[in-house]
């Protein structure tokens, strides 16, 4: 094998005093070679992103700093570089794609100006012509028009393509991709993975690809390094790690990856209908302005669906398909423009204001981002008890119910006096579930409740939801863009595309025999699909 481009030797990164462990990264070693994609895999807190930040010289010093080891690149130890020397490496020799392009891109600069700024800062020739060349290289649709757009005008996939163009602008030797597809829809994710693989092969780059998804690993990796608690616990070729993992932690991560094989479920054909939606429509209109044209967007059009007692209906589709709008119309967070929303035969669209109050407690929502939906100034016990208290439950009884619910969702009731920031993402989502259950609802609307979670935490939350639904005989509308998740939790699935339901049926039948081209495209785009099929 050729000499490595980058050698990481016994890298150790200290955490600030008072942290739960002394080192974020401890004695980590690996090599990255030319024309290779090395996937660094692990859950949140494993140290993989800090390892990448160290390679880029972007650690948040002095609070987090390297205390040992070497990063050897072209016979130099990068850990010994001054900040001025680092500037000669960042961009020119090392490019980086960040996880969230919306926060990494400047919101007040046009796309072309941001790429041009990278070129000019390093004295790279080419100017506007080079910008267009880069935008075309990353397959950005209509680059002539989008080069003048601002980041908020672009979709998530388009913003990520701009980030890739910026990372490649100076023709780096090594590309670091930090969870570049985590927040993307499955079809967009497939496009970005194919693009990274294509560009890596064309330019003979070494790519350090950070992810927590073994489906992505199966799709793109050459070699895999698995991190746990700041240490690499397994390192090897992709085939060896995926097919014959050695470490128990690797086995658990692989086992937690959902497959497309739905479990056997009892038929619910004779159960009473809890929710019936007929002809639901919702259109958004913007006012426009001097430089903004007036826009009319049809988010939902003639949507018809039903949910029986004890049933979970999955509403799947990409971002912008209208699925979240439908969920918010059903729970009456927003008003629909047309159609009926019959809950136990009563049209909720006929009510406004206080007249809706009796139904609010019977239909509850689990939100996608638990950190944003939990009040950071309130203790979790007060957050869970607030609903029952608002509906007349005495405070002592509401607090006791909050404690019981914390136990039900797998948390210690003793955490009732803690604040949301003191919990992990998976724990916060459990608190969100407890809050939704506090009013003893009959119908839960779960909006992407596991999309931001690590795969093992995701599996725990899905098992928890399935257990609670079975014990309480709840009905659920489960909104997701991940068909693997839908396969595990949904009795039936409805597929949304551009505001319309294009196909629906039992989960097993729809996944085995999809009839609509859009459904087939979603299934075909799932990363590592063939590896999962072999596992199943």
């Amino acid at each position: 094998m050729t000499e490595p481009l980058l050698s990481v030797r016994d890298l150790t990164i200290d955490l600030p005093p008072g942290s739960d462990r002394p080192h974020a990264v401890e004695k980590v070693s690996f090599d990255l070679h030319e024309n290779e994609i090395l996937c660094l895999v692990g859950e949140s807190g494993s140290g993989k992103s800090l390892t990448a930040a160290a390679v880029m010289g972007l650690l948040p010093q002095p609070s987090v700093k390297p205390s040992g080891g070497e990063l050897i690149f072209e016979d130099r130890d990068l850990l010994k570089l001054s900040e001025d020397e680092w500037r000669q490496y960042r961009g020119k020799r090392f490019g980086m794609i960040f996880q969230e392009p919306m926060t990494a891109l400047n919101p007040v600069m046009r796309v072309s100006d941001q790429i041009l700024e990278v070129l000019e800062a390093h004295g790279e020739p080419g100017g506007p012509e080079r910008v267009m060349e880069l935008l075309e290289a990353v397959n950005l649709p209509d680059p002539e028009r989008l080069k003048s757009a601002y980041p908020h005008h672009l979709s998530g996939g388009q913003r990520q393509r701009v980030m890739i163009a910026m990372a490649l602008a100076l023709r780096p030797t090594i590309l670091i991709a930090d969870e570049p597809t985590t927040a993307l829809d499955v079809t967009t994710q497939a496009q970005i993975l194919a693009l990274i693989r294509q560009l890596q092969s064309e330019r003979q780059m070494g790519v350090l690809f950070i992810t927590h998804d073994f489906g992505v690993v199966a799709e793109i990796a050459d070699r895999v390094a698995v991190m746990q608690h700041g240490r690499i616990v397994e390192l090897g070729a992709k085939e060896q790690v995926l097919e014959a993992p050695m470490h128990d932690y690797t086995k658990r991560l692989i086992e937690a990856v959902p497959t497309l094989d739905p479990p056997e479920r009892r038929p619910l054909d004779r159960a009473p209908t809890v929710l019936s939606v007929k002809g639901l429509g919702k259109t958004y209109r913007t006012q426009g302005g001097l430089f903004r044209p007036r826009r009319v967007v049809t988010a939902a059009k003639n949507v018809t669906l039903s949910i029986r007692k004890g049933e979970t209906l999955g509403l799947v589709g990409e971002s912008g398909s209208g699925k979240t709008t439908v969920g918010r119309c059903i729970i009456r967070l927003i008003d629909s423009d047309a159609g009926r929303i019959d809950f136990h035969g009563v049209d909720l669209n006929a009510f406004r204001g206080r007249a809706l109050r009796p139904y609010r407690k019977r239909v509850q929502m689990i939100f996608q981002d638990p950190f944003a939906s939990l009040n950071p100034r309130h203790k979790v016990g007060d957050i869970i008890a607030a609903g029952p208290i608002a509906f007349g439950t005495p405070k002592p009884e509401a607090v006791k119910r909050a404690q019981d619910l914390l136990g039900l969702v797998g948390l210690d009731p003793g955490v009732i006096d803690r604040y949301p920031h003191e919990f992990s993402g998976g724990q916060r989502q459990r608190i969100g579930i407890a809050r939704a259950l506090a009013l003893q609802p009959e119908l839960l609307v779960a909006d992407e409740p596991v999309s931001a979670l690590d795969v093992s935490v995701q599996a725990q939350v899905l098992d928890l939801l399935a257990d609670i639904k079975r014990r309480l005989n709840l009905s659920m509308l489960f909104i997701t863009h991940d068909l693997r998740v839908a396969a595990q939790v949904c009795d039936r699935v409805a597929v949304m595309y551009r505001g319309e339901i294009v196909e629906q049926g039992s989960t097993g039948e729809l996944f085995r025999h999809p009839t609509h081209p859009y459904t087939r495209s979603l299934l075909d785009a799932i990363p590592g699909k063939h590896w999962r099929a072999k596992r199943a």
Side-chain angles (χ1 to χ4, degrees):
M1 185 176 281
T2 59
E3 285 294 310
L5 292 174
L6 174 72
S7 287
V8 179
R9 291 287 172 264
D10 293 329
L11 176 65
T12 298
I13 300 172
D14 290 346
L15 284 170
S19 301
D20 60 351
R21 64 178 195 257
H23 308 296
V25 173
E26 187 173 3
K27 294 188 177 301
V28 162
S29 299
F30 61 84
D31 291 331
L32 178 65
H33 293 84
E34 182 180 57
N35 198 26
E36 175 187 57
I37 297 180
L38 172 65
C39 276
L40 199 56
V41 190
E43 297 174 287
S44 296
S46 63
K48 57 189 190 298
S49 289
L50 280 179
T51 300
V55 174
M56 287 293 291
L58 293 175
L59 287 173
Q61 298 193 48
S63 58
V64 177
K65 59 185 178 183
S67 61
E70 297 176 318
L71 300 175
I72 306 300
F73 177 74
E74 296 181 343
D75 298 324
R76 293 199 68 178
D77 183 359
L78 300 178
L79 294 181
K80 296 179 180 178
L81 297 182
S82 68
E83 183 56 33
D84 286 340
E85 289 174 316
W86 261 118
R87 293 192 184 100
Q88 303 305 312
Y89 284 84
R90 290 192 204 109
K92 278 192 172 182
R93 311 313 304 277
F94 297 91
M96 188 160 188
I97 308 168
F98 294 94
Q99 179 173 356
E100 179 43 71
M102 194 61 182
T103 58
L105 294 172
N106 191 323
V108 297
M109 288 181 69
R110 297 181 190 275
V111 163
S112 58
D113 293 336
Q114 300 200 44
I115 301 175
L116 196 60
E117 183 180 53
V118 174
L119 298 171
E120 291 175 347
H122 290 269
E124 183 79 5
E129 294 79 14
R130 174 72 174 142
V131 171
M132 281 301 297
E133 177 188 323
L134 286 162
L135 293 178
E136 289 169 358
V138 298
N139 300 327
L140 191 72
D142 197 1
E144 186 63 46
R145 177 178 64 86
L146 293 182
K147 71 177 183 180
S148 300
Y150 292 95
H152 66 274
H153 293 149
L154 308 179
S155 69
Q158 290 170 343
R159 286 194 290 266
Q160 198 60 283
R161 289 173 191 271
V162 172
M163 279 296 305
I164 295 172
M166 292 175 68
L168 297 177
L170 302 172
R171 302 177 178 90
T173 306
I174 291 175
L175 180 66
I176 299 173
D178 187 4
E179 300 268 15
T181 61
T182 297
L184 301 180
D185 296 317
V186 65
T187 51
T188 308
Q189 181 184 58
Q191 294 165 10
I192 296 298
L193 291 176
L195 174 63
I196 290 173
R197 171 59 89 178
Q198 172 201 332
L199 294 170
Q200 174 264 337
S201 179
E202 290 174 356
R203 300 170 186 237
Q204 301 291 293
M205 292 184 298
V207 176
L208 182 61
F209 193 105
I210 297 166
T211 183
H212 65 261
D213 188 340
F214 267 98
V216 171
V217 171
E219 198 72 31
I220 200 170
D222 295 307
R223 289 191 304 129
V224 183
V226 182
M227 288 193 73
Q228 181 190 28
H229 302 321
R231 289 177 171 266
I232 289 182
V233 297
E234 186 155 0
L235 175 64
K238 174 178 71 175
E239 292 75 14
Q240 179 265 308
V241 173
L242 291 181
E243 304 303 332
M246 303 294 292
H247 198 276
D248 287 343
Y249 178 67
T250 310
K251 294 175 184 177
R252 289 202 306 272
L253 287 181
I254 291 175
E255 191 61 35
V257 178
T259 72
L260 278 173
D261 266 356
E264 290 293 325
R265 294 186 175 92
R266 60 186 176 89
L268 295 165
D269 297 345
R270 297 184 180 180
T273 298
V274 172
L275 178 77
S276 176
V277 177
K278 297 177 182 176
L280 182 72
K282 178 64 179 179
T283 300
Y284 294 102
R285 294 175 174 82
T286 62
Q287 294 298 317
L290 185 61
F291 300 105
R292 299 192 317 274
R294 184 174 179 270
R295 295 182 65 206
V296 177
V297 178
T298 301
K301 180 181 178 183
N302 197 30
V303 171
T304 297
L305 55 84
S306 63
I307 304 174
R308 295 181 179 275
K309 183 71 173 175
E311 181 181 48
T312 298
L313 173 68
L315 195 57
V316 304
E318 298 171 289
S319 295
S321 62
K323 57 189 188 298
T324 293
T325 294
V326 170
R328 288 174 176 261
C329 285
I330 287 171
I331 203 169
R332 290 301 310 276
L333 286 179
I334 57 176
D335 293 331
S336 55
D337 301 325
R340 292 178 60 93
I341 303 171
D342 287 336
F343 181 69
H344 288 293
V346 177
D347 183 11
L348 299 186
N349 273 343
F351 300 100
R352 293 289 184 274
R354 292 187 63 83
L356 271 171
R357 185 175 169 84
Y359 297 96
R360 293 287 189 198
K361 64 184 297 185
R362 300 171 68 186
V363 184
Q364 288 287 299
M365 192 164 195
I366 304 168
F367 294 92
Q368 179 174 359
D369 184 348
F371 194 68
S373 64
L374 299 176
N375 191 322
R377 293 188 177 91
H378 290 180
K379 297 176 180 178
V380 298
D382 295 332
I383 290 171
I384 297 170
I389 290 171
F391 278 87
T393 302
K395 185 173 181 178
E397 184 180 335
V399 171
K400 176 62 168 62
R401 186 183 301 177
Q403 289 177 317
D404 292 343
L405 286 167
L406 285 170
L408 181 66
V409 299
L411 294 175
D412 184 347
V415 304
I416 194 167
D417 290 323
R418 294 186 186 176
Y419 292 90
H421 72 271
E422 299 180 75
F423 297 87
S424 69
Q427 289 171 329
R428 284 195 290 266
Q429 193 58 284
R430 290 170 184 266
I431 294 165
I433 294 169
R435 177 179 61 180
L437 295 174
L439 287 167
Q440 300 172 321
E442 299 172 56
L443 174 67
L444 281 179
V445 177
D447 186 9
E448 300 273 15
V450 296
S451 63
L453 303 180
D454 291 321
V455 65
S456 59
V457 180
Q458 181 186 83
Q460 294 167 13
V461 172
L462 291 177
D463 288 343
L464 170 66
L465 283 171
D467 180 57
I468 288 173
K469 189 185 79 115
R470 183 172 56 253
R471 282 203 268 171
L472 303 181
N473 200 23
L474 290 171
S475 304
M476 190 183 309
L477 177 67
F478 193 98
I479 298 169
T480 183
H481 67 263
D482 191 334
L483 275 70
R484 302 167 300 178
V485 169
Q488 298 308 303
V489 300
C490 300
D491 300 292
R492 290 187 303 115
V493 171
V495 182
M496 282 200 76
Y497 178 60
R498 294 185 176 179
E500 298 186 70
I501 291 180
V502 296
E503 184 169 4
Q504 57 181 310
S506 70
T507 305
E509 184 63 24
L510 187 141
F511 281 11
R512 283 191 295 269
H513 306 292
T515 59
H516 196 276
Y518 178 67
T519 309
R520 290 197 292 270
S521 73
L522 289 179
L523 289 166
D524 290 341
I526 294 172
K529 177 184 177 183
H530 300 298
W531 166 66
R532 281 195 187 84
K534 189 160 57 174
R535 274 181 59 222

